[in-house]
Amino acid sequence: MSLPSEKASELKQRIHNHLLKMDIHGKIRELIAETLGEDQGSGHRSLSEADVLRVLQRRGIIDDVMKDLHFTQAPLHHTDVVQVNTNVDPSRRYLHLQVLGGKAFLEHLQEPEPLPGQVCSTFKLYLHFHNQRFHSKPVPCACEPDLREGFLLEMHKDGLGDGSKMVDATDMLSICDPVHFVLIKTDTSGETTLVSSYFLDWRIVLSSPSGKTCFAVELMGVGSECKVPAGVLTVSLELYPPLSKHLNSDVISTQQSLERQRTAEKERLFLVYAKQWWREFLEIRPSHQSKLVKIFAQDENGVNRPVCSYVRVLRAGRLLESPRQAARFVSLLAHQRPPVVGGGAKQEQWCTLLAFLCRGKGDCEDHAALLCSLLLGFGLDAYMCVGTKAKGVSHAWVLTRGTDGTITFWESLTAHRYLHRAVDPDAPPLALQPKPSSPYRTVGCVFNHQSFLANCQPSDAVELCVFDFQNPSRWKAMSEEALKSVCAPASNTSLPPLPPLCAPSVDPAAASNQLELEMRYLVSEHRKDLDLATVWDDHLSYLLSSALSAYETERCTGVSCGNEEFQDAVRRAVPDGHTFKGFPIHFLHRNARRAFATCLRSPFCEEIVSCRGDHVRLAVRVRVFVYPENAFAVWLMFACKYRSVL
């Protein structure tokens, strides 16, 4: 059963402390030594894992370990589910969702059975419900993938004073948040692909007399394949504790039908309003027809939604400390356009936030929407901009307005910031004008979670644009009430719920050490092929840490610091008459072979790694900086010192 990371950590720590208290490792060593001594007399040479377990069971050690852990049997499903007391609050109700396997993933019909230990493509299922996120273990891709996992979803209402009460059937009927499934495929090189994004209405379980139900869920593809089935999952739902009185299925279907009708009516009225607003916008100036005014955008399931619904106020809790750190985090998520079969124009696809975070990469619109949401969470007056950059390529970025009127552009793909100063077209020819500092050429519209404004200035060139949103002669605004009717989370049941960010699960020190060891091995092998010996200078390697830390700090804050101390330390570590060379590089992944191959393409790095000379000493240092959602900033530095011979 999948648990929230903090609960899993707590459980592991309890078991670890218990084993230490019992000195279990010492007992196992004594038993193995004793058993091996007995086996030597009878001619046995090795001791298998099964043999060790049998001996531990026979001596009663396993029983002693289990006796004090206080496990209970929880009647959650047909299969036996063991649960620890501390994970279930008896005053709360839970939905136990089980995935009991997949079938009909026909794209993998010819997929061979993976051999033991063989690296293969995998499926991983992610879930989000009511501010709770879970994921399954990765399983090999197959026509019938072995996706078998249980998730315990806590049910509660968000109203004031409702959090402490156990919800009944009527309360749960009013919780219209679906369970959002996202299925991700990871290939052997670590590249991720979004397979399906599905919203499950779980309320069908409320009409089950036994409090449990099992059914098949057909997952559809994404993007251009959103009408094509991707596969089928068998899903089981069970309420714990069971309801004392279940609801009639007609009551549930009537509630769902009312919600759909209410949403459809709001969307119809907004579409009528948007058409009228667009006609008025075109009447201002005929050239407005060619401006990039984006009112609707398609998500991964091919559903058209107002662009304002993609931006929400997102608070990162303790995971991100500042707006600039948020920009750094968003820039670490890889940039990739939606995949397209065949040539032609760019396919548009704005992903839901959960799909973007689980996949770990997306287009510029996905990055800009996430950054705008985070900046709004930090209390800034942030807007997402849609326009073009060089060569007329469509692009999205973020704008913030200061209380003093300063306009700052934020590039979500790089975390770069640009201060905007508009050029005055009516100024005298010799007047000093500000030079464009940003890469953006035109801007058609700006929006956030509650505002939408179209640029109705004579020119949509960014350098001439004045971002005075209160001036209707420069910006035509949509009605905030109309936007609220379809974009406010409480007003529209068809909007995907906003998922929280997940804390990183990777230990940065362990990841840095592992990658550094792999790099040392690759450098040694590379030099061996060149008939060169490799001597490492551990002290010099350690000194490189401060430089890598300073590089990441500069990327986060825009302020360079610590360079003087690094240079001074290197001068002290390199003797007179010796030469020092260093090569830093930055990656978004932890694949050592890919990183090393990239490094060798640089003549500077190749010169260091293949250094020949007198008294050559090599150094390498890796620093892995971990951000929410396991986004990585990997800094790597190769260095060498050698005696200069003229």
Side-chain angles (χ1 to χ4, degrees):
M1 172 173 297
S2 292
L3 297 171
S5 57
E6 66 275 4
K7 291 188 177 179
S9 301
E10 180 188 347
L11 178 59
K12 287 177 185 173
Q13 190 60 45
R14 284 184 177 213
I15 294 172
H16 178 69
N17 293 342
H18 183 63
L19 294 177
L20 285 177
K21 187 178 173 184
M22 290 187 64
D23 188 26
I24 194 70
H25 300 96
K27 291 181 180 178
I28 292 172
R29 278 195 294 269
E30 287 173 15
L31 277 174
I32 290 175
E34 185 181 323
T35 308
L36 283 173
E38 291 172 1
D39 287 347
Q40 280 175 357
S42 56
H44 289 289
R45 293 185 180 178
S46 62
L47 195 63
S48 70
E49 186 178 338
D51 294 333
V52 173
L53 283 172
R54 273 196 297 273
V55 173
L56 290 173
Q57 204 160 10
R58 196 168 62 238
R59 297 292 181 91
I61 290 178
I62 291 179
D63 292 336
D64 292 343
V65 170
M66 299 300 290
K67 193 165 51 183
D68 295 331
L69 280 178
H70 303 300
F71 284 89
T72 61
Q73 197 74 16
L76 290 179
H77 198 262
H78 313 293
T79 55
D80 293 334
V81 178
V82 176
Q83 243 205 322
V84 181
N85 283 338
T86 53
N87 291 335
V88 177
D89 183 346
S91 65
R92 292 293 180 100
R93 197 178 299 281
Y94 296 87
L95 175 68
H96 184 223
L97 185 153
Q98 278 193 309
V99 180
L100 303 175
K103 57 187 176 182
F105 285 82
L106 299 181
E107 190 175 326
H108 300 278
L109 191 59
Q110 305 298 325
E111 201 89 20
E113 279 285 323
L115 299 171
Q118 179 188 0
V119 178
C120 61
S121 300
T122 59
F123 282 139
K124 196 171 185 179
L125 185 66
Y126 294 83
L127 267 72
H128 169 233
F129 174 73
H130 231 47
N131 226 34
Q132 304 162 73
R133 284 180 60 184
F134 304 89
H135 63 79
S136 70
K137 298 187 294 289
V139 300
C141 292
C143 183
E144 297 188 355
D146 190 29
L147 276 165
R148 298 179 182 275
E149 202 82 46
F151 308 96
L152 202 62
L153 313 180
E154 187 179 308
M155 311 292 292
H156 60 270
K157 292 195 73 176
D158 293 329
L160 194 63
D162 291 330
S164 59
K165 294 191 300 185
M166 181 182 288
V167 288
D168 57 19
T170 310
D171 290 331
M172 286 191 284
L173 184 60
S174 67
I175 300 174
C176 53
D177 282 7
V179 179
H180 190 180
F181 287 15
V182 169
L183 185 63
I184 299 291
K185 175 186 172 181
T186 306
D187 66 19
T188 51
S189 65
E191 288 297 311
T192 54
T193 308
L194 176 61
V195 177
S196 185
S197 173
Y198 181 83
F199 295 93
L200 172 71
D201 194 331
W202 53 273
R203 290 176 290 182
I204 185 175
V205 73
L206 300 177
S207 65
S208 172
S210 63
K212 61 183 77 166
T213 184
C214 188
F215 51 91
V217 168
E218 185 178 45
L219 302 180
M220 306 303 283
V222 294
S224 58
E225 300 174 23
C226 63
K227 306 294 184 190
V228 181
V232 175
L233 292 180
T234 304
V235 173
S236 160
L237 300 176
E238 183 174 358
L239 288 170
Y240 176 79
L243 290 172
S244 55
K245 184 180 178 184
H246 69 277
L247 297 177
N248 190 299
S249 57
D250 291 341
V251 173
I252 297 172
S253 56
T254 302
Q255 173 72 13
Q256 292 169 334
S257 177
L258 284 171
E259 288 171 1
R260 283 193 296 269
Q261 289 172 14
R262 198 157 49 233
T263 297
E265 180 62 14
K266 286 180 179 179
E267 289 173 348
R268 186 190 68 79
L269 290 173
F270 180 76
L271 182 59
V272 170
Y273 168 75
K275 285 180 176 178
Q276 176 63 31
W277 181 91
W278 177 246
R279 280 194 293 271
E280 293 170 2
F281 181 67
L282 293 182
E283 287 169 4
I284 297 173
R285 202 173 280 111
S287 61
H288 285 178
Q289 182 74 50
S290 61
K291 287 190 177 182
L292 271 175
V293 179
K294 189 83 181 156
I295 303 174
F296 295 94
Q298 275 193 0
D299 66 13
E300 67 267 23
N301 291 324
V303 177
N304 261 322
R305 295 199 280 122
V307 291
C308 294
S309 68
Y310 289 88
V311 177
R312 312 275 273 279
V313 178
L314 179 59
R315 296 182 179 89
R318 301 283 183 182
L319 300 179
L320 296 169
E321 300 294 340
S322 68
R324 295 195 188 190
Q325 194 180 35
R328 175 62 173 155
F329 156 62
V330 175
S331 72
L332 295 174
L333 300 171
H335 176 225
Q336 186 181 68
R337 296 186 183 280
V340 138
V341 179
K346 165 192 169 183
Q347 180 192 341
E348 183 178 87
Q349 178 182 303
W350 292 31
C351 279
T352 55
L353 182 54
L354 184 68
F356 176 42
L357 294 175
C358 295
R359 187 177 167 222
K361 56 186 175 186
D363 210 345
C364 58
E365 292 89 357
D366 304 322
H367 287 78
L370 174 56
L371 178 56
C372 187
S373 300
L374 288 167
L375 296 184
L376 286 167
F378 276 109
L380 300 184
D381 187 19
Y383 299 81
M384 184 170 160
C385 305
V386 175
T388 63
K389 52 182 184 178
K391 299 181 181 177
V393 177
S394 61
H395 192 62
W397 66 98
V398 178
L399 167 155
T400 53
R401 296 195 309 160
T403 51
D404 58 354
T406 56
I407 302 296
T408 307
F409 295 145
W410 302 64
E411 177 49 64
S412 58
L413 300 179
T414 61
H416 291 161
R417 298 163 70 253
Y418 307 95
L419 194 63
H420 171 71
R421 293 188 181 88
V423 170
D424 183 3
D426 301 324
L430 296 179
L432 196 63
Q433 297 275 25
K435 291 183 179 178
S437 61
S438 73
Y440 315 120
R441 294 293 171 263
T442 66
V443 56
C445 62
V446 301
F447 58 89
N448 58 20
H449 62 304
Q450 55 191 15
S451 306
F452 184 94
L453 302 114
N455 185 359
C456 54
Q457 296 169 67
S459 169
D460 59 359
V462 169
E463 59 184 19
L464 299 174
C465 202
V466 177
F467 292 91
D468 177 10
F469 297 152
Q470 279 69 44
N471 188 339
S473 66
R474 297 184 187 274
W475 296 91
K476 180 170 174 59
M478 270 193 175
S479 159
E480 289 194 7
E481 286 302 314
L483 290 170
K484 194 183 295 184
S485 70
V486 289
C487 296
S491 66
N492 195 334
T493 56
S494 69
L495 291 181
L498 184 70
L501 293 183
C502 274
S505 60
V506 174
D507 178 5
S512 301
N513 288 337
Q514 178 62 29
L515 191 52
E516 189 171 309
L517 286 172
E518 292 174 14
M519 279 298 171
R520 284 198 174 203
Y521 171 77
L522 292 172
V523 170
S524 298
E525 290 297 304
H526 180 76
R527 288 178 62 84
K528 194 184 292 182
D529 291 342
L530 300 174
D531 292 327
L532 295 172
T534 305
V535 182
W536 295 103
D537 187 330
D538 291 335
H539 177 61
L540 185 58
S541 295
Y542 178 72
L543 297 185
L544 304 180
S545 287
S546 61
L548 301 183
S549 179
Y551 298 151
E552 183 60 21
T553 302
E554 186 176 358
R555 290 288 179 99
C556 274
T557 63
V559 178
S560 177
C561 61
N563 197 39
E564 299 83 1
E565 293 89 341
F566 168 66
Q567 290 181 358
D568 188 57
V570 168
R571 287 192 192 99
R572 292 168 64 84
V574 177
D576 289 341
H578 284 61
T579 299
F580 170 84
K581 290 181 179 178
F583 175 79
I585 191 167
H586 176 251
F587 295 100
L588 303 184
H589 62 82
R590 295 184 295 150
N591 188 315
R593 291 192 178 275
R594 258 174 71 196
F596 189 59
T598 304
C599 292
L600 288 181
R601 292 193 200 110
S602 164
F604 301 107
C605 180
E606 212 281 332
E607 185 181 330
I608 291 171
V609 170
S610 308
C611 182
R612 298 169 183 267
D614 183 23
H615 207 71
V616 175
R617 296 290 181 269
L618 293 170
V620 63
R621 193 66 169 173
V622 175
R623 282 293 305 273
V624 177
F625 297 88
V626 186
Y627 286 81
E629 302 295 329
N630 283 339
F632 300 110
V634 178
W635 284 98
L636 169 67
M637 191 169 189
F638 293 105
C640 69
K641 64 178 182 180
Y642 58 92
R643 181 175 292 143
S644 305
V645 180
L646 296 176

